[in-house]
Amino acid sequence: PPEEGTTAAITAATTVAPESNGTPAPDVTLLNSDGKEVKLSDFFGKPIVLNFWASWCPPCKAELPDFDKACRAYEGKVTFLMVNLTDGQRETVEGAKSFIEDKGYTFPVYFDTKYEASYKYGLSSIPQTFFLDANGNVVAQATGMITAAQLEQGIGMIYGE
């Protein structure tokens, strides 16, 4: 994680914005890659990076390699929930799985097939990333594509060794 006091270069369009004292993250139900329902709260206990994306979204595709690297680097320490916005038409579970497999990504993918998560998190565009502490509070969020440095900055806000 970045040292305390260091900050990443942040563009005007995309910032990793701290939330005031952390707000409780809305609990949502997603489908895992086996089609089983999981709740966000099942993952509380470790810091969480919650990212919303779709395979048809160019900025989403551009940031996914950084998320994959970070997921491997923080394995066992930070949980990555890569939530695919699965509408069943433009984006399907099969299409998203095939996209991830073709790219060789190893992060776990979850599917928002009922749009419950997108609704509860107030998404109006993607990608969007939320940084949650181990207690399930949103500590920071970023709207739009983030750089590897911004991803590290967000992780630094929720995880300290």
Side-chain angles (χ1 to χ4, degrees):
E3 289 178 42
E4 216 168 282
T6 59
T7 56
I10 297 188
T11 64
T14 302
T15 58
V16 176
E19 296 279 322
S20 56
N21 301 328
T23 22
D27 200 10
V28 293
T29 302
L30 304 164
L31 295 180
N32 68 12
S33 58
D34 297 328
K36 293 190 175 81
E37 287 191 351
V38 294
K39 288 190 170 297
L40 175 64
S41 55
D42 296 342
F43 299 96
F44 293 172
K46 281 186 192 159
I48 298 171
V49 174
L50 177 66
N51 175 267
F52 291 94
W53 68 280
S55 65
W56 51 260
C57 160
C60 299
K61 291 194 286 193
E63 72 179 8
L64 289 178
D66 293 331
F67 279 84
D68 196 54
K69 281 183 201 136
C71 184
R72 286 196 303 268
Y74 290 95
E75 190 171 353
K77 298 172 185 155
V78 176
T79 301
F80 283 74
L81 296 180
M82 303 300 289
V83 180
N84 180 264
L85 299 186
T86 322
D87 64 6
Q89 295 166 357
R90 192 173 186 186
E91 189 82 15
T92 63
V93 170
E94 297 74 26
K97 281 183 179 179
S98 152
F99 170 81
I100 292 299
E101 195 175 304
D102 290 349
K103 296 289 183 186
Y105 295 139
T106 57
F107 51 67
V109 177
Y110 298 87
F111 302 93
D112 187 16
T113 56
K114 296 176 184 165
Y115 274 42
E116 177 195 350
S118 3
Y119 175 72
K120 284 190 177 175
Y121 281 83
L123 301 189
S124 57
S125 65
I126 52 173
Q128 257 193 69
T129 308
F130 295 84
F131 298 91
L132 283 60
D133 65 19
N135 298 318
N137 295 308
V138 178
V139 173
Q141 83 173 75
T143 302
M145 186 185 132
I146 59 175
T147 64
Q150 290 167 324
L151 178 57
E152 281 295 323
Q153 178 191 8
I155 292 169
M157 295 168 91
I158 57 171
Y159 172 74
E161 294 196 75

